[in-house]
């Protein structure tokens, strides 16, 4: 059951549904005093028991999931220490349920699969010799149905999408569907347009993500269930759980992106589950990135994955060059103090705009000011639900929490001392937009963040406006690094590099380097060469060597040595136990006790397992709940699993404390 006990339950199949219901069928059944949704796992003989077995009610005219895909869900639940119900909740039950009710209301006949009509389309531009060589390396496995994981390590703008579509066309011609995953919902519409511009013919494209309307999702499910025609399925991580037919290739674009990791239970990683899906389907998995994750590269180095490199940009354009701009300790050389904009950066921006090019300016924060401080008593406005200070959003005239969404009007006076003067500290994209408008009053300044783009449609409109527009300044958060094509951008500016590298996370350096490369990769995709200016107050040899030399492979080699020495991924496995409670004292006592039990078990089982002390989470309170973390390190997955298994029954909610396990954690906050 989706919202029930962790173990499967037994129900009776009604006589009228005997012989109809099969594994993978969505059902509704009585659970206590309520009705709940469930998924049929197995058909058993009626047990000889001295009690009544409650009947279930089938939904729809067919399974929500092919029976062959049940092992996929079962592995996900087992690996990530979740229940089968939690794993099944990832299926598109709501869309399927409304489809079933609609069919019943209309008394529609059972959907009969339509005869397959294989899509006929070709990739328009011819592949380069570099692309062709990789295509020849992967294509035979698509044709023969052989599983293997391939990493396409290609620089930004190298033409990876064209290669992916060529492999997709090969699969579709054989009557096989294609799953193409993207890390960001906002990318789906942009990639839909890009795909249609690169092919001739109808690709039978199906787009899927959580922001689609219920009607659109219902129609997508209906199309997948009622047609045998192979599809090119383009979507975010939830597309993994669609009832598609036989796959010919699974593509994971920007495989390094942390967005592929689910932020709530079950904490699955879509990239890793996509690889498992390809293995079960018997087809190749293709991972692509200009900055592959260290986990993926280590799998290449150990021979588990094949790697193909694309070091040159499509069309022979040079890679953008990175220049570090040191801001020093004073205000000398700054044309703007908050946000800090150096004279060198301002001159470069002015030159690019004069030449009819556009400029991308990155700031890793939304809003106008990060902190609002009372000048009378020094009090700073803080969220009542989270361990976070409220961010000032000038356009809304409000203070907002970026974790729980709490907001209030900008105060007229301090609630503590009644003073009426406040100091605004720090900056976000809103303040940056205002400052740049004062410096470049003739330029068209466009803000690209979640405050201004609240839907996929808005993102597409904004990108269309900027596609061929020169002389614009694009101000944005990490959203602008996600693979968008902007041919008029020749200059990318990162205002404060330290905001990207200074986090209490062992992956901070890796993510910072990846982000610089991805942001810089938006520049130089048109006629003008690209340039990246990275401002920083830090005197760091690491930044100079990593960014200045622009050698990602050298960074990977150095970072892997450090990870191995510190017993961190990809050499050791991690599990992060997250404990939550409304009462801090209760939580602390539970966390300390739980940690002691696990530590004793780890010590008894194996020397290559370590349980770190229970500590408050870096952001201790979120959405009114306090949070503690217990980190477990193990030499391999088998040892980690052996340590955790005795405690699986204690997961969930008990005594006001919720305990969950995050296997292979990505977000350590």
């Amino acid at each position: 059951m989706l919202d029930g006990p962790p173990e499967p339950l037994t129900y009776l199949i009604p006589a009228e549904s005997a012989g109809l219901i099969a594994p993978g069928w969505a059902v509704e059944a009585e659970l206590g005093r309520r009705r709940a949704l469930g998924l049929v796992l197995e058909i058993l003989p009626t047990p000889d028991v001295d009690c009544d077995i409650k009947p279930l009610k089938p939904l729809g005219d067919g399974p929500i999931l092919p029976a062959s895909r049940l092992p996929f869900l079962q592995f996900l639940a087992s690996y990530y220490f979740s229940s089968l119900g939690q794993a099944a909740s990832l299926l598109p039950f709501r869309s399927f349920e409304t489809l079933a009710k609609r069919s019943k209301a209309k008394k529609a006949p059972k959907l009969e699969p339509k005869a397959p009509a294989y899509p006929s389309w070709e990739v328009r531009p011819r592949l380069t010799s570099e692309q062709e060589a990789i295509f020849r390396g992967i294509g035979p496995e698509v044709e023969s149905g052989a599983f293997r994981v391939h990493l396409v390590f290609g620089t930004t703008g190298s033409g990876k999408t064209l290669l992916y579509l060529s492999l997709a066309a090969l699969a579709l011609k054989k009557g096989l569907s294609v799953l193409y995953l993207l890390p960001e919902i906002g990318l789906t519409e942009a990639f839909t347009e890009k795909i249609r511009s690169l092919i001739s013919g109808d690709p039978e494209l199906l787009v899927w993500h959580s922001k689609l309307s219920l009607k659109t999702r219902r129609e997508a499910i209906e199309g997948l269930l009622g047609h045998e025609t192979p599809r090119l399925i383009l979507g975010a991580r939830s597309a993994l759980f669609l009832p598609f037919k036989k796959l010919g290739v699974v593509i994971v674009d920007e495989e390094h992106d942390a967005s592929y990791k689910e932020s709530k239970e079950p904490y699955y990683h879509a990239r890793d589950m996509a690889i498992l899906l390809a293995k079960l389907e018997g087809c190749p998995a293709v991972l692509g990135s200009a900055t592959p994750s260290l986990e993926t590269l280590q799998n290449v180095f150990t021979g588990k994955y094949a790697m193909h490199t694309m070091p040159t940009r499509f069309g022979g354009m040079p890679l953008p060059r990175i220049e570090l701009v040191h801001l020093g300790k004073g205000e000398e050389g700054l044309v703007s103090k908050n946000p800090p904009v150096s004279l060198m950066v301002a001159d470069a921006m002015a030159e690019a705009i004069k030449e009819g090019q556009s400029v991308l300016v990155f700031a890793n924060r939304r809003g106008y000011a990060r902190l609002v401080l009372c000048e009378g008593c020094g009090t700073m406005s803080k969220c009542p639900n989270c361990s976070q200070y409220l961010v000032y959003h000038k356009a809304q005239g409000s203070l907002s929490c970026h974790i729980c969404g709490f907001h209030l009007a900008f105060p007229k006076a301090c609630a503590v001392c009644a003073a009426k003067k406040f100091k605004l500290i720090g900056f976000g994209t809103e303040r940056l937009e205002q400052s740049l408008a004062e410096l470049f009053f003739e330029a068209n300044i466009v803000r690209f963040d979640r405050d201004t783009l609240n839907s996929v449609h808005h993102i597409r409109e904004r990108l269309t406006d900027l596609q061929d527009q020169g002389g614009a300044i694009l101000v944005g958060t990490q959203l602008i690094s996600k693979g968008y094509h902007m041919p008029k951008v020749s200059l990318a500016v990162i205002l404060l590099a330290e905001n990207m590298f200074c986090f209490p996370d062992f992956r901070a350096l890796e993510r910072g380097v990846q982000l610089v490369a991805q942001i810089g990769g938006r520049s130089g995709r048109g006629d003008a060469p690209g340039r990246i200016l990275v401002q920083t107050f830090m005197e760091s040899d690491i930044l100079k060597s990593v960014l200045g030399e622009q050698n990602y492979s050298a960074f990977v080699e150095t970072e892997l040595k450090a990870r191995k020495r510190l017993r961190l991924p990809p050499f050791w496995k991690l599990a992060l136990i997250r404990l939550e409670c409304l009462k801090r004292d209760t939580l602390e006592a539970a966390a300390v006790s739980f940690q002691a039990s696990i530590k004793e078990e780890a010590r008894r089982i194996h020397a290559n397992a370590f349980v770190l002390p229970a500590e408050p989470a870096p952001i201790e309170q979120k959405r009114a709940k306090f949070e503690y973390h217990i980190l477990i390190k193990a030499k391999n997955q088998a040892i980690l699993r052996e340590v955790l298994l005795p405690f699986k029954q204690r997961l969930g909610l008990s005594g006001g404390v919720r305990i969950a396990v995050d296997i292979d954690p990505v977000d350590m906050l």
Side-chain angles (χ1 to χ4, degrees):
M1 304 305 290
L2 268 63
D3 185 19
E7 299 303 322
L9 301 176
T10 300
Y11 284 90
L12 184 68
I13 299 176
E16 63 272 17
S17 300
L20 173 67
I21 294 178
W25 214 281
V27 295
E28 186 181 68
E30 189 176 323
L31 186 63
R33 296 182 178 180
R34 60 187 175 89
R35 304 289 292 180
L37 294 173
L39 181 73
V40 176
L41 299 175
E42 189 178 359
I43 305 297
L44 301 169
T46 303
D48 185 14
V49 292
D50 190 22
C51 65
D52 292 331
I53 302 176
K54 295 178 180 179
L56 52 76
K57 174 186 174 184
L59 296 175
D61 297 310
I64 188 176
L65 189 74
S68 60
R69 296 268 302 283
L70 287 175
F72 175 73
L73 280 186
Q74 289 165 334
F75 181 92
L76 186 150
S78 174
Y79 184 86
Y80 290 104
F81 279 81
S82 70
S83 68
L84 273 171
Q86 287 174 321
S89 69
L90 299 168
L91 299 172
F93 265 92
R94 190 179 175 206
S95 304
F96 188 83
E97 186 183 17
T98 56
L99 174 62
K101 289 178 179 177
R102 177 171 162 266
S103 299
K104 184 177 179 180
K106 292 185 176 183
K107 297 184 179 179
K110 181 178 178 180
L111 287 173
E112 293 294 339
K114 296 184 179 180
Y118 297 166
S120 176
W121 53 276
E122 300 288 342
V123 178
R124 284 197 183 113
R126 292 179 61 87
L127 296 180
T128 64
S129 57
E130 191 175 75
Q131 293 168 327
E132 183 67 31
I134 299 174
F135 178 80
R136 291 180 183 276
I138 305 175
E141 294 174 7
V142 176
E143 292 188 305
S144 64
F147 167 70
R148 196 180 185 192
V149 183
H150 297 265
L151 169 64
V152 179
F153 187 173
T155 189
T156 54
S158 59
K160 295 187 291 295
T161 304
L162 202 59
L163 171 65
Y164 302 152
L165 291 178
S166 298
L167 293 169
L170 183 62
L172 289 164
K173 284 177 183 176
K174 286 182 61 62
L176 303 171
S177 290
V178 176
L179 180 61
Y180 192 138
L181 294 184
L182 297 168
E184 186 72 36
I185 290 174
L187 281 170
T188 53
E189 291 250 3
F191 263 68
T192 298
E193 299 297 324
K194 187 175 183 179
I195 287 172
R196 296 193 185 282
S197 72
L198 291 174
I199 64 173
S200 58
D202 185 4
E204 286 287 344
L205 183 63
L206 187 150
V207 176
W208 182 270
H209 53 76
S210 60
K211 297 296 183 183
L212 294 172
S213 68
L214 185 57
K215 178 184 177 183
T216 303
R217 280 182 281 162
R218 186 191 68 211
E219 290 172 349
I221 296 294
E222 188 174 15
L224 287 171
L225 292 173
H227 295 260
E228 292 294 331
T229 303
R231 302 293 184 95
L232 171 55
I233 301 159
L234 182 72
R237 59 176 180 260
S238 59
L240 279 169
F241 306 98
L242 290 173
F244 38 71
K245 303 299 188 293
K246 178 68 177 173
L247 292 176
V249 64
V250 175
I251 298 164
V252 184
D253 201 8
E254 307 294 354
E255 67 84 26
H256 67 277
D257 201 296
S259 299
Y260 281 123
K261 178 73 170 179
E262 178 59 73
S263 59
K264 59 182 183 297
E265 293 182 83
Y267 296 103
Y268 73 94
H269 200 302
R271 177 198 61 209
D272 299 341
M273 289 300 97
I275 292 171
L276 172 65
L277 183 61
K279 184 177 181 178
L280 293 174
E281 290 282 314
C283 69
V286 180
L287 316 180
S289 178
T291 53
S293 66
L294 267 63
E295 286 81 0
T296 294
L297 286 170
Q298 181 62 16
N299 281 325
V300 169
F301 300 152
T302 56
K304 293 181 180 178
Y305 298 174
M307 184 168 75
H308 313 269
T309 58
M310 298 176 69
T312 56
R313 278 195 157 183
F314 194 79
M317 286 298 293
L319 290 171
R321 67 182 191 277
I322 300 177
E323 301 171 46
L324 285 174
V325 182
H326 191 259
L327 296 173
K329 296 180 179 179
E331 298 175 1
E332 185 178 349
L334 294 180
V335 296
S336 170
K337 293 185 291 184
N338 187 23
V341 179
S342 67
L343 181 60
M344 178 181 175
V345 165
D347 287 345
M349 291 177 65
E351 183 180 352
I353 293 168
K354 183 179 178 182
E355 293 176 355
Q357 298 296 317
S358 292
V359 180
L360 185 156
V361 184
F362 171 79
N364 209 21
R365 295 286 185 270
R366 292 185 291 124
Y368 190 86
R370 297 300 302 164
L371 298 171
V372 176
L373 181 142
C374 170
E375 293 190 1
C377 65
T379 297
M380 292 186 286
S381 299
K382 193 175 181 181
C383 177
N385 306 315
C386 308
S387 302
Q388 287 285 95
Y389 292 105
L390 298 176
V391 178
Y392 175 42
H393 290 257
K394 188 175 182 180
Q396 289 84 19
S398 66
L399 303 179
S400 300
C401 175
H402 287 180
I403 292 180
C404 71
F406 172 85
H407 62 276
L408 51 80
F410 191 91
K412 295 180 179 179
C414 175
V416 176
C417 71
K420 296 184 178 181
K421 288 188 176 182
F422 297 92
K423 186 173 183 179
L424 305 180
I425 301 173
F427 69 93
T429 48
E430 188 180 12
R431 189 169 195 163
L432 177 58
E433 178 187 26
Q434 177 183 300
S435 298
L436 293 178
E438 294 168 357
L439 290 172
F440 304 96
F441 52 87
E442 293 183 353
N444 176 28
I445 300 179
V446 180
R447 183 149 52 98
F448 203 88
D449 60 24
R450 299 200 185 281
D451 290 337
T452 57
L453 304 169
N454 54 17
S455 72
V456 175
H457 179 67
H458 286 161
I459 293 176
R460 184 181 64 179
E461 282 187 336
R462 191 64 53 87
L463 286 172
T464 301
D465 293 342
L466 292 167
Q467 196 72 25
D468 300 308
Q469 184 183 100
I473 298 176
L474 177 60
V475 175
T477 56
Q478 195 166 331
L479 189 63
I480 58 175
S481 71
K482 299 285 186 176
Y484 299 110
H485 182 64
M486 292 171 273
K488 281 293 183 179
V489 173
S490 64
L491 175 64
V493 177
I494 297 171
L495 286 188
L496 285 178
E498 40 268 72
N499 284 347
M500 297 156 48
F501 291 96
C502 298
F503 279 94
D505 190 326
F506 71 90
R507 289 192 179 93
L509 184 59
E510 178 187 1
R511 288 178 184 160
V513 172
Q514 290 168 341
L515 190 53
V516 171
Q518 294 294 332
I519 292 167
R522 302 314 104 211
S523 69
R525 287 172 169 254
D527 298 328
R531 185 184 182 192
I532 311 166
L533 297 180
V534 182
Q535 289 190 158
T536 178
F537 285 102
M538 296 169 60
E539 284 281 6
S540 171
D541 292 335
I542 295 177
L543 286 186
K544 289 177 183 177
S545 61
V546 170
L547 301 182
E549 295 176 12
Q550 293 183 248
N551 189 337
Y552 189 72
S553 296
F555 157 72
V556 168
E557 183 179 354
T558 303
E559 185 69 4
L560 282 176
K561 288 178 180 177
R563 297 272 187 94
K564 189 172 186 178
R565 186 175 66 253
L566 295 170
R567 296 173 174 174
L568 290 169
F571 301 98
W572 281 56
K573 300 292 288 186
L574 297 183
L576 184 65
I577 299 177
R578 302 176 184 272
L579 299 95
E580 295 179 340
C581 183
L582 291 169
K583 298 179 180 179
R584 193 185 189 285
D585 292 344
T586 302
L587 176 64
E588 183 178 10
V592 170
S593 173
F594 198 66
Q595 188 271 350
S597 300
I598 297 179
K599 186 176 181 179
E600 182 60 32
E601 183 70 14
R603 185 181 297 153
R604 185 185 67 81
I605 289 175
H606 213 288
N608 283 324
F610 301 93
V611 181
L612 277 62
E615 298 284 354
I619 302 177
E620 186 178 1
Q621 189 180 26
K622 302 173 188 173
R623 301 174 184 88
K625 294 180 181 178
F626 293 95
E627 186 171 332
Y628 261 64
H629 288 172
I630 301 170
L631 187 65
I632 304 174
K633 302 166 69 171
K635 180 68 175 176
N636 55 49
Q637 180 64 27
I639 297 173
L640 185 65
R641 186 168 183 80
E642 192 177 357
V643 170
L644 286 171
L645 265 178
F647 301 92
K648 188 172 183 180
Q649 297 301 320
R650 293 176 63 179
L651 301 180
L653 184 64
S654 178
V657 178
R658 176 171 289 280
I659 305 175
V661 176
D662 185 353
I663 302 293
D664 305 328
V666 169
D667 179 8
M668 307 298 287
L669 300 180

